[in-house]
Amino acid sequence: SLSMLEIIFPMSIKRSLILRNIKKEINDLKQQLSDSDYKVSKCYEASLLGEQMPYDVQVLHTERQAARNRINELESVINQNI
């Protein structure tokens, strides 16, 4: 027998909501990357000038790579469900 949720939200609607949430997460992650671009630029500039890094480059790289990995993971989920 169907649960109340399955009666109220057919699979196509649930799938649509899930895909919308995934796309929102992807957009949020892309915005995080965009928002931290200036930190990468400042570090690059400092390295060219032989100055001290204004940000922890390893932490910056790790955070940005984690965001890129998650974006790839989510895009793969979307591509498998199209």
Side-chain angles (χ1 to χ4, degrees):
S1 95
L2 295 173
S3 71
M4 191 58 137
L5 185 62
E6 290 171 323
I7 292 169
I8 295 170
F9 293 107
M11 288 303 290
S12 62
I13 293 173
K14 284 194 283 189
R15 184 174 175 272
S16 175
L17 291 172
I18 290 168
L19 287 174
R20 187 173 68 197
N21 288 337
I22 290 172
K23 288 177 182 179
K24 182 186 180 321
E25 185 176 350
I26 289 170
N27 288 334
D28 290 347
L29 289 164
K30 286 181 177 181
Q31 186 61 51
Q32 283 178 6
L33 287 172
S34 181
D35 290 347
S36 67
D37 281 348
Y38 78 94
K39 291 181 179 181
V40 173
S41 294
K42 294 299 280 181
C43 288
Y44 180 63
E45 189 176 85
S47 74
L48 289 175
L49 297 171
E51 295 177 356
Q52 183 176 349
M53 293 291 166
Y55 303 98
D56 185 328
V57 178
Q58 188 59 49
V59 170
L60 184 59
H61 170 71
T62 300
E63 290 172 350
R64 289 173 58 85
Q65 190 58 51
R68 286 189 290 269
N69 291 346
R70 181 67 177 151
I71 289 167
N72 290 338
E73 192 178 297
L74 293 170
E75 287 176 341
S76 175
V77 169
I78 289 174
N79 291 335
Q80 290 173 4
N81 286 292
I82 290 180

